[in-house]
Each structure stands twice: as C-alpha cells, then as structure tokens.
Amino acid sequence: MVDDGGLDVVAPIGGAVRDLLRAAPGASVDLGAIDPRSTPGLPDEQLTGAERKGWARRQVELVGRDLARQQEMLFAGAKVDPDAGRRVLLVLQAMDCGGKDGTIKRVVGAMNPLGVHIRAFGPPTAEELRHHFLWRIRRALPPPGQLGVFNRSHYEDVLVPRVQERAPEHVWRPRYAEIDDFERELTAAGVVVVKVFLHISKVEQARRLLARLDDPTRHWKYHPSDVDARARWDDYQAAYADLLGRCGTDVAPWHVVPADRKWYRDWAVAHLLRETFDTLDLGYPPADFDIGRERERLLGTAGPLKVNRS
Amino acid sequence: MVDDGGLDVVAPIGGAVRDLLRAAPGASVDLGAIDPRSTPGLPDEQLTGAERKGWARRQVELVGRDLARQQEMLFAGAKVDPDAGRRVLLVLQAMDCGGKDGTIKRVVGAMNPLGVHIRAFGPPTAEELRHHFLWRIRRALPPPGQLGVFNRSHYEDVLVPRVQERAPEHVWRPRYAEIDDFERELTAAGVVVVKVFLHISKVEQARRLLARLDDPTRHWKYHPSDVDARARWDDYQAAYADLLGRCGTDVAPWHVVPADRKWYRDWAVAHLLRETFDTLDLGYPPADFDIGRERERLLGTAGPLKVNRS
C-alpha cells in the first residue's frame, strides 16, 4: 500500500517518465511491442488494481499544482527577460479518440489559462496549402513564457499525405529531415519541444467511437470519416512507427504514452511536463527595482491603510 | 443560514447579476456611488460575514461546472455550424491590481482550455501604432464557438491617451463612437460582448501593491510605473466614468463589478457569464449522420469488443 492520503507527489517507479517512455531513435519504432494498457512508472506492486485509478487521479491533481507554479515561474521569467525566449511546446499526436482533447482538459487545464497557448491543426485550408507545410506551424508558436500546446501538428504532414496517398513519396519523405531542422532551430531559440504520441489500441478506439455514438451529448465529436480512417489503421500505425523513429532526435525526442487507460495517460503526461519544467531550473525573478524605495513611494500615495480585509 | 452543503447553484438575490450590475448609459457613470466592497446579489441576510466568503467560493465552483458545459455546447454548435459565427467575448478592464488576471484564472480556468481564446493588450507596439487602434483588436477576436477573453482591450485607447495626455482630445474623443460601431458590428456577426469593469478602491489597490512588494514570488508583477499611474487615480476614474456611460450600449452594456472582495468578484463574473450563455439557448447539436448505420460500419471494423475496462 502506498500512503496516498498525504499531499506529496510520489516519484515514478524506475526513474523519470521521460526516460521510461522515450522512443528509441532509429528507422522505425516497434509499436506492437508497447502495450497500450501498460502503466510504466506506476507503483503497481504497491497498489491493487482497483486502487490505481483513484490514486493516479489524485497524483495528477498534485502534479497539476506543481505545473501551475512552474508555468507561472516560466511566465514571470519571460516578463522580466523576454529576450531569453524560453518556452515549452507540447506536441500531441494520436489516432482518432486517442485522448488529445482529454489530456489538454485535464493536464493543461491545471495551469493558468493566461500562460497557455493552444493551437489545433485540422486539414490544411486552401491558403495553407499554398504555403510550405511549416508556414502555419511557425505562425502558431507560443510566445516566450508560455506553454504552447499543439493539438495535432506538423507531423500530420508526414501522416495523411502518405496514408491517404494524397502526395507522392518524394513530397512527404523529405519532410522528416525538414522537421528535424525545424525542431533544432526551435530548440536553439529557447523552445523546449516535448513530443507525445498517445498510443491506443484498435479495440479501445472502437469502444470510444461507440460511446460517442451512444451519447447524444457527444454526437458532435463523431464524424463518419473516423471509420474510414480506422479502415487504414495498420497503414497509420506504420506511418507513426516511422515518424517516431525517424524524428526522435536528441533535442526533441518522442515519447510513446500508453493511452488505453485515460488515468494513466494523464498521469504520464503530467509527469512528462513536470520533468521538462524541472530541466529549466525555474525560479521567480528577483526585483529589478529598489523595494524599499517603492514601498515609500507607494505609502506616499496611499492614505491610511485600514485593516478591514474580508 | 443558506443550505450550502448541496450541489445546487443558488440564484442571485434580486434578479440576474447582469441586471444588478449593469451601468446606466449616459454621459458618465457615478463610480463614487458604487461601493467596491459591496456584494449585490449575494444572500447577505442569510449568511453571517464569516460564512459568505466560503459560500461564494463553493458557488463559483458549482457555476464553473455549468460554464464548462455551456462553453462545450457553444463549441459543439460551432463545429457543426461554423457559419452561425456564435461566440462570446468577455472584455475585462480595471485599474492596476483590479483583479483581471485572478478572474481569468479562477472563473475562465473552470472551462476547457480548448474552447477559450485569451488575448492581452499591452501598450501598442510600433507596428500597432501605425494602424488604426482597432486593427490589433480585430486580429484578436475569438473564432466561432469560443469564449474570447480580452485582458485589457480597445478601451485602453480612450484611457491612456487621455489621462497621460499622449494624444489631443480630437484624436481620442471620436473613438467612443467608433467603438460603439465596432461593437454593433461584432454583435451582428454573432459575437456576444460582455463588458466588465472590475471596480476597486484606491486603498485596496495600495494593499495589493504592498502585498506584491512584500512577496518575492510576486515581484515580477510589480512595476514602478504602477505608482505613477496611481498618482493619476482621479483622472483614470473620471475617464472610466465617461467610457462606462458613453459606451454602455443596449447591445453591449457595461457591468461594474465591485472588486475589493476577490470572492465576490469571481462570484459575480461567473454569474455574468452563465447568464450570458443562458441567453444563447445552447444545446448539443443533433447528429448529422445516420447513427444506426454508423454503428454497423464501426462494428464491421471492430473485431470482438472485450469488456476489460479499468
């Protein structure tokens, strides 16, 4: 039994989540070898099955408080020193129903909305198609001090054209290298890129699509094309396997988060973000003014400060 | 005693908050007659002073759940019918330390970040100054289905130039009428504009500035120019009184929220938003596909659906 009644964040078992879930760079990642229902880093041996879900959800709440404070420190630092350009960019990719929206709601939702910069990428518009595929991505980057979140991203451009055969290989193939260059450029500019693939099973996707069909408050989330894409499941998995291996660089590695269990997914992404913020060695910036003098100036304009707080 | 142990939102006493707090249109609003520590709509007679704060905070949590659902319905409706263009725009104005950031964190933070579009307006940049003052505002409007939040707004352009004498009257005076036209245009395009002035007292501002000076984790929120602006307190109040009266139209009225008590401020803004969503008669859109047929198609691709949920 883990003591989960306290207010402490329990460290992941076996080391940092970002190490446990990092995809090995190479030609291709073997997604078949990663169980979407597995829970790497969770103290499974100390919890019974029934306890794990509630325990993980409470941990997400606790980690969320850390994230809110860390994000505020990033924001504060950028206000004082915007030229440093420091920011974090969370890139979320998944099959339909993989849980991108839920992750944003539950994990990113713990932070102050003022410091969060979310952008979603749908099929390119006519205008976007007239530009280089990274054009719309560059315009959506977060400003310094913010956590950017990409709900889908430039990786769609090595997925859809390939699987749906909308572009020949000589169009999409060079994009792997272009993406590498782009992410190195971002890193050099102070952007820490955290790439997450939410890995669900085909049977879990079917369950989630069925749940949408069965719930009138969620029909708007369903589209018949979801079943068409599902028919190409294996092709999409192969395309993901390639991009996860091919674009898993040292500066911007990919993480494969087993995502059939929503509570594990949230726990893992919350820890990934927390560990990323930790690497930034954040703190509140010191005053760039004379505190004593400001207090005097202020009191000079204040009148009597009655204590009648409520 | 109000029964606050249940899970119900208690309606504001005396009618809708948006009626209680609406600023009367006219040449000028008498801000001196509105006590920043007052609590219009709160069931004061049924609560002791000590109970009110906790009660109001729990109510904000409950109203927040409604807001999250209402915002999701707005979002869902726009996904199915983007041409309707329906969206809500919350315009927040206040003196320094008036609580704009806190309101966003506590009230807007209750909603799914995917459906919220926050933009902050600082002093205009060199590029912005080369354009009409509404240029940067138009670029920051929320897309259909979203709740837009303006942290400061086009109203800065009838405040700062006037009080700091950065522009002659013939420059800023015509802006009242331009703003009226602009907001009528927005309304016609499906944007419901909710304008809120967070009304704090001069003594409360001093307390909050002092608190920032006394807390090293909040020095980044303090700037010496805050005290300079404070020295012009009466001029700013007069400029606010004029814009609240002059730009309080029937389509986009101003609301003056007494804001010395943060818990009342949050309670009032949460209710204002809820009442605004209520006027939109929101609901989840019906399916625009054949549900039975989609279930069949889906099951055709699913394989056996084992029940092994966690």
Side-chain angles (χ1 to χ4, degrees), chain B residues 30-306:
Chain B
D30 184 4
L31 282 173
I34 302 173
D35 181 357
R37 293 182 61 77
S38 61
T39 56
L42 224 67
D44 282 342
E45 294 172 14
Q46 296 164 274
L47 294 165
T48 70
E51 289 169 332
R52 293 195 305 172
K53 182 174 173 177
W55 181 86
R57 287 215 184 284
R58 284 191 294 279
Q59 285 285 305
V60 168
E61 255 179 62
L62 292 178
V63 176
R65 290 180 212 173
D66 284 348
L67 290 177
R69 199 179 57 245
Q70 289 175 307
Q71 199 285 316
E72 184 177 83
M73 289 190 284
L74 183 71
F75 191 85
K79 198 174 169 199
V80 174
D81 180 17
D83 294 335
R86 295 212 303 181
R87 58 209 112 159
V88 174
L89 177 62
L90 174 66
V91 173
L92 286 175
Q93 286 287 156
M95 298 292 287
D96 289 328
C97 295
K100 298 184 303 298
D101 290 8
T103 303
I104 292 171
K105 185 173 173 178
R106 287 172 188 261
V107 180
V108 178
M111 286 170 265
N112 188 335
L114 280 172
V116 173
H117 185 94
I118 303 174
R119 294 299 179 271
F121 298 96
T125 63
E127 188 190 12
E128 287 167 350
L129 283 173
R130 281 196 298 273
H131 290 85
H132 187 272
F133 77 99
L134 291 175
W135 177 74
R136 65 174 184 165
I137 303 295
R138 289 182 184 278
R139 291 158 55 99
L141 291 170
Q146 303 237 343
L147 168 68
V149 181
F150 279 1
N151 188 349
R152 303 186 193 270
S153 67
H154 40 298
Y155 285 100
E156 292 293 310
D157 297 294
V158 288
L159 281 167
V160 181
R162 168 177 168 169
V163 175
Q164 306 289 347
E165 291 166 23
R166 288 193 196 146
E169 182 162 349
H170 73 264
V171 168
W172 56 259
R173 173 75 61 186
R175 289 179 177 170
Y176 293 136
E178 287 186 82
I179 288 175
D180 275 5
D181 289 344
F182 172 60
E183 292 179 355
R184 280 180 203 285
E185 177 197 327
L186 290 183
T187 306
V191 185
V192 182
V193 184
V194 185
K195 300 189 298 198
V196 171
F197 173 59
L198 303 175
H199 179 42
I200 59 164
S201 63
K202 194 176 178 187
V203 70
E204 179 66 17
Q205 188 193 52
R207 278 197 204 97
R208 293 184 186 179
L209 285 169
L210 266 182
R212 289 182 184 180
L213 284 174
D214 287 343
D215 180 354
T217 72
R218 290 160 78 199
H219 285 161
W220 65 278
K221 288 194 161 195
Y222 181 94
H223 195 278
S225 67
D226 297 345
V227 175
D228 303 331
R230 180 173 166 77
R232 300 248 188 173
W233 179 274
D234 292 342
D235 296 336
Y236 271 108
Q237 293 285 304
Y240 266 116
D242 284 359
L243 76 82
L244 293 170
R246 180 63 190 76
C247 298
T249 58
D250 49 337
V251 296
W254 270 106
H255 304 89
V256 179
V257 172
D260 271 12
R261 294 180 154 103
K262 295 175 181 174
W263 50 265
Y264 174 76
R265 170 200 79 199
D266 295 339
W267 179 88
V269 175
H271 273 286
L272 271 173
L273 283 177
R274 182 173 187 256
E275 292 164 5
T276 303
F277 281 129
D278 281 346
T279 65
L280 295 176
D281 197 20
L282 296 162
Y284 287 101
D288 56 358
F289 47 83
D290 180 329
I291 297 168
R293 179 158 178 275
E294 288 304 315
R295 191 179 282 113
E296 272 176 38
R297 288 180 69 219
L298 177 58
L299 291 175
T301 67
L305 284 184
K306 290 164 288 181

Side-chain angles (χ1 to χ4, degrees), chain A residues 37 52-53 72 75-76 79-80 100-101 104-105 108-109 112-114 116-120 151 202-210 213-214 216-225 227-228 230-231 260-263 284-289 291 294-295 297-299 301-310, chain B residues 37 53 72 75-76 79-80 100-102 104-105 108-109 112-114 116-120 151 202-210 213-214 216-225 227-228 230-231 260-263 284-289 291 294-295 297-299 301-310:
Chain A
R37 293 182 61 78
R52 295 194 305 172
K53 181 174 173 177
E72 185 177 81
F75 190 85
K79 198 176 169 195
V80 173
K100 298 184 303 299
D101 290 8
I104 292 172
K105 185 173 173 179
V108 177
N112 188 335
L114 281 172
V116 173
H117 185 96
I118 304 173
R119 293 297 179 272
N151 188 349
K202 194 175 179 188
V203 69
E204 178 66 17
Q205 188 194 52
R207 277 196 206 100
R208 293 184 187 180
L209 285 170
L210 265 184
L213 283 175
D214 287 343
T217 73
R218 291 159 78 198
H219 284 162
W220 64 278
K221 289 193 161 198
Y222 182 93
H223 195 279
S225 67
V227 175
D228 302 331
R230 180 172 166 78
D260 271 13
R261 294 179 155 104
K262 295 175 181 175
W263 50 266
Y284 286 102
D288 56 358
F289 48 81
I291 297 169
E294 288 303 315
R295 192 179 279 113
R297 288 179 69 219
L298 177 59
L299 292 174
T301 66
L305 283 183
K306 292 163 289 181
V307 179
N308 57 348
R309 300 196 68 83
S310 58
Chain B
R37 293 182 61 77
K53 182 174 173 177
E72 184 177 83
F75 191 85
K79 198 174 169 199
V80 174
K100 298 184 303 298
D101 290 8
I104 292 171
K105 185 173 173 178
V108 178
N112 188 335
L114 280 172
V116 173
H117 185 94
I118 303 174
R119 294 299 179 271
N151 188 349
K202 194 176 178 187
V203 70
E204 179 66 17
Q205 188 193 52
R207 278 197 204 97
R208 293 184 186 179
L209 285 169
L210 266 182
L213 284 174
D214 287 343
T217 72
R218 290 160 78 199
H219 285 161
W220 65 278
K221 288 194 161 195
Y222 181 94
H223 195 278
S225 67
V227 175
D228 303 331
R230 180 173 166 77
D260 271 12
R261 294 180 154 103
K262 295 175 181 174
W263 50 265
Y284 287 101
D288 56 358
F289 47 83
I291 297 168
E294 288 304 315
R295 191 179 282 113
R297 288 180 69 219
L298 177 58
L299 291 175
T301 67
L305 284 184
K306 290 164 288 181
V307 179
N308 57 348
R309 300 196 68 84
S310 58

